[in-house]
Amino acid sequence: MLRLQTPLPERYRIASDGDLADMIGQAKAALGSRLFILGHHYQRDEVMQWADARGDSFGLSRLAAGQTEAEFIVFCGVHFMAESADVLTGDHQRVLLPDLNAGCSMADMANIDQVTEAWDEMADVVDTSGVVPITYMNSSAALKAFVGRHGGAVCTSSNARAVLTWALGEGRGDQVLFFPDQHLGRNTGYELGYGADDMRVWNPRLALGGLTDVEVKESTLLLWKGHCSVHQRFRPEHIAAFRAEHPDGIVMVHPECAHEVVELADLVGSTDNLIRGVAAAPPGAVIGIATEIHLVKRLGDETPDKTVVCLDPLVCPCSTMSRIDGPHLAWVLEGLVEGDVRNQISVDAETAEWARVALERMLAIT
Ligand code: 13P
């Protein structure tokens, strides 16, 4: 169901940064241990400073699953992460997303109708009992439930290798339908030793994904035609320009980047892994990073003994991943103090049951 973000009352819109910090700080203190704020690494500093715990999308799902006490989990991230937190937390807990516009365009590139149709079309060509569906965390709860029902699992950028190895393991599957990010699927496939002929792109707009029967039968990995608009912007030319300027520089990229970018990098990893990579680099290092700009900027600010730059000089910020701002956080927290639960993210019981199966498989594999 589509829910629209209601415009904020004027007092939040006109508040200064200092006023907002006071509102958030006071609400947080009043709520005490009833509240737990989770922050994804892409959040702005003005929001991240209030997080009780930070993480990549895998770490945050683990934190949500382990947070059994707090009555309210305020998720400073995006919609699919908040849905996963709702699925993994108890019935006595409520998950709130401060701004309902915080979404992910890649997650919207695959919906349940398209995936069900693709599965049915595949069933005309191959025995789908040998196909394991794997969904990237960046997907709706309905897709996670589909995967749970059909013997598959969720993966994130930090565990895609382990999850694909599991999916193609002895006695489980011969083929994987991977959605919605073709790049993470392809990069992981190459990492596992598969070649270009083992992986084909499934275009949901075309009959049988735009493939022939033989191509579907012979592919080990069928990669959904989806992508992240921010990570897809990074090109090999950016890396070449960075290396020309900094011959000893270190290149770190997120696996949502295209394969021709990933193969030129010194380190490929999730947001958490990129943070660890920067921490491990020697003092004085110059590091070029391909991921969302708020994280790159924070890494630069927090490691003054190293130079951290974005590999794309034009820097295209993700308008939805870092959507949550001080006014929305203050609005949601003050609502909780007043007993008004705003922007609760709630997955219906049947979807949640199967989405939990898929998420828990991921947690068990990793
Ligand atoms: P991480 O799992 O690396 O935090 O990635 C989340 C994401 O949405 C990347 O665009």
Side-chain angles (χ1 to χ4, degrees):
M1 186 185 57
L2 180 67
R3 286 164 66 202
L4 297 178
Q5 176 62 48
T6 52
L8 295 189
E10 193 178 350
R11 66 182 286 261
Y12 296 101
R13 285 187 274 122
I14 62 168
S16 67
D17 290 351
D19 290 344
L20 288 168
D22 286 346
M23 290 180 203
I24 296 169
Q26 281 164 24
K28 213 172 169 242
L31 291 160
S33 61
R34 296 173 67 205
L35 171 71
F36 196 73
I37 301 181
L38 289 173
H40 184 263
H41 294 308
Y42 288 162
Q43 298 306 293
R44 312 160 185 218
D45 290 346
E46 75 191 78
V47 165
M48 204 56 155
Q49 63 174 313
W50 301 106
D52 294 304
R54 305 174 174 194
D56 62 7
S57 56
F58 174 69
L60 291 171
S61 56
R62 212 183 225 168
L63 283 161
Q67 179 47 247
T68 53
E69 303 282 303
E71 196 179 334
F72 305 113
I73 314 279
V74 170
F75 210 115
C76 297
V78 286
H79 194 268
F80 68 78
M81 297 180 192
E83 273 191 338
S84 299
D86 180 53
V87 166
L88 290 167
T89 48
D91 291 345
H92 61 292
Q93 297 175 294
R94 294 198 263 184
V95 176
L96 288 79
L97 181 67
D99 186 341
L100 295 178
N101 290 324
C104 168
S105 58
M106 181 221 287
D108 296 338
M109 289 179 191
N111 66 42
I112 186 64
D113 293 338
Q114 293 170 309
V115 169
T116 306
E117 200 180 314
W119 192 256
D120 292 346
E121 282 188 89
M122 280 179 75
D124 293 336
V125 179
V126 293
D127 176 2
T128 48
S129 66
V131 183
V132 181
I134 300 294
T135 189
Y136 188 26
M137 180 64 98
N138 302 36
S139 59
S140 67
L143 290 188
K144 294 185 176 79
F146 176 92
V147 156
R149 271 199 197 92
H150 291 87
V154 176
C155 76
T156 73
S157 54
S158 66
N159 58 25
R161 184 188 173 125
V163 173
L164 279 188
T165 303
W166 168 87
L168 294 167
E170 197 59 40
R172 195 164 319 273
D174 315 311
Q175 292 183 289
V176 162
L177 175 62
F178 188 95
F179 41 86
D181 185 24
Q182 59 172 298
H183 297 297
L184 177 63
R186 184 177 298 110
N187 287 325
T188 314
Y190 278 124
E191 217 188 306
L192 289 171
Y194 294 101
D197 290 346
D198 302 315
M199 303 187 266
R200 289 194 178 77
V201 174
W202 181 283
N203 182 345
R205 294 175 192 278
L206 301 175
L208 199 63
L211 301 171
T212 63
D213 289 15
V214 173
E215 286 171 328
V216 171
K217 280 188 191 134
E218 289 183 349
S219 300
T220 306
L221 292 165
L222 288 159
L223 309 172
W224 196 265
K225 193 171 171 22
H227 64 270
C228 164
S229 310
V230 169
H231 287 103
Q232 202 171 262
R233 276 186 59 84
F234 294 97
R235 304 299 312 146
E237 303 82 86
H238 293 132
I239 298 184
F242 173 82
R243 292 214 192 273
E245 201 178 335
H246 309 286
D248 297 325
I250 306 170
V251 171
M252 302 186 186
V253 310
H254 195 278
E256 287 178 16
C257 294
H259 186 63
E260 55 269 32
V261 170
V262 162
E263 62 187 350
L264 297 174
D266 301 305
L267 183 149
V268 183
S270 75
T271 52
D272 245 16
N273 289 330
L274 297 175
I275 291 169
R276 278 197 287 273
V278 170
V286 182
I287 305 160
I289 303 196
T291 196
E292 199 273 342
I293 191 63
H294 288 90
L295 174 56
V296 178
K297 230 191 124 302
R298 185 174 313 115
L299 281 168
D301 293 345
E302 289 178 355
T303 41
D305 60 331
K306 299 164 200 178
T307 304
V308 180
V309 298
C310 179
L311 281 169
D312 177 1
L314 293 178
V315 181
C316 174
C318 180
S319 60
T320 52
M321 279 277 168
S322 57
R323 187 90 191 183
I324 292 166
D325 56 12
H328 286 85
L329 182 58
W331 173 70
V332 157
L333 294 184
E334 290 201 334
L336 289 178
V337 174
E338 292 157 19
D340 184 9
V341 180
R342 298 169 178 153
N343 285 9
Q344 183 180 351
I345 301 299
S346 177
V347 178
D348 71 85
E350 200 197 331
T351 306
E353 182 188 333
W354 284 106
R356 191 173 306 115
V357 169
L359 282 161
E360 283 178 351
R361 275 192 194 124
M362 171 188 79
L363 292 171
I365 293 164
T366 311

